Amino acid sequence: QVQLVESGGGSALAGGSLKLSCAASGSSFNTYCMAWFRQAPGKEREGVADINTYGAPSYADSVKGRFTISKENAAETTLYLQMNSLKPEDTGMYYCAATYAIYGCPTGRRPDNFDYWGRGTQVTVSS
């Protein structure tokens, strides 16, 4: 059973940076697709970025060039999301998610394709 715990959220001004972390217990990430999702009040949960077992990242268009997803290399038990050039529309609850996927992440970065979730960490960006 995979357990995920996010940390690193907080408040930032537009143009600033935050780095989120996701610590996994029960497994390492080497056989899982890992992803970050976010959900703003009144909106659906959306996929922000994912990274497959080979370390290849993929990003939503809205964050491409600003956010970087990565895994801690040695033990592969920590997932990161470096967020730069933050915008107010980046505000929301950010969730770490995982699904067993040896050969690649599910297409489309949809929430129902992921089996394990953290409780989330709040990110608030003000202008």
Side-chain angles (χ1 to χ4, degrees):
Q1 182 77 8
V2 176
Q3 294 182 328
L4 305 171
V5 179
E6 303 94 337
S7 61
S11 298
L13 294 175
S17 298
L18 286 171
K19 186 174 184 177
L20 307 183
S21 299
C22 173
S25 60
S27 180
S28 66
F29 296 150
N30 59 7
T31 55
Y32 288 83
C33 167
M34 303 299 301
W36 287 98
F37 287 78
R38 67 185 180 190
Q39 188 166 19
K43 294 190 176 181
E44 293 185 352
R45 191 169 297 189
E46 64 169 344
V48 173
D50 58 44
I51 186 165
N52 66 19
T53 56
Y54 302 104
S58 175
Y59 300 95
D61 289 343
S62 59
V63 305
K64 200 171 294 183
R66 301 187 297 121
F67 290 11
T68 302
I69 188 172
S70 62
K71 294 187 285 187
E72 186 270 322
N73 288 329
E76 295 197 23
T77 57
T78 306
L79 181 73
Y80 301 105
L81 185 69
Q82 177 67 48
M83 305 185 293
N84 298 330
S85 302
L86 285 164
K87 303 177 180 179
E89 51 264 43
D90 294 321
T91 293
M93 187 70 78
Y94 281 69
Y95 299 91
C96 176
T99 188
Y100 184 75
I102 295 177
Y103 300 111
C105 289
T107 302
R109 211 177 294 115
R110 291 167 42 194
D112 56 0
N113 286 333
F114 287 80
D115 301 310
Y116 303 99
W117 292 85
R119 293 193 173 189
T121 185
Q122 177 68 35
V123 171
T124 303
V125 183
S126 56
S127 56

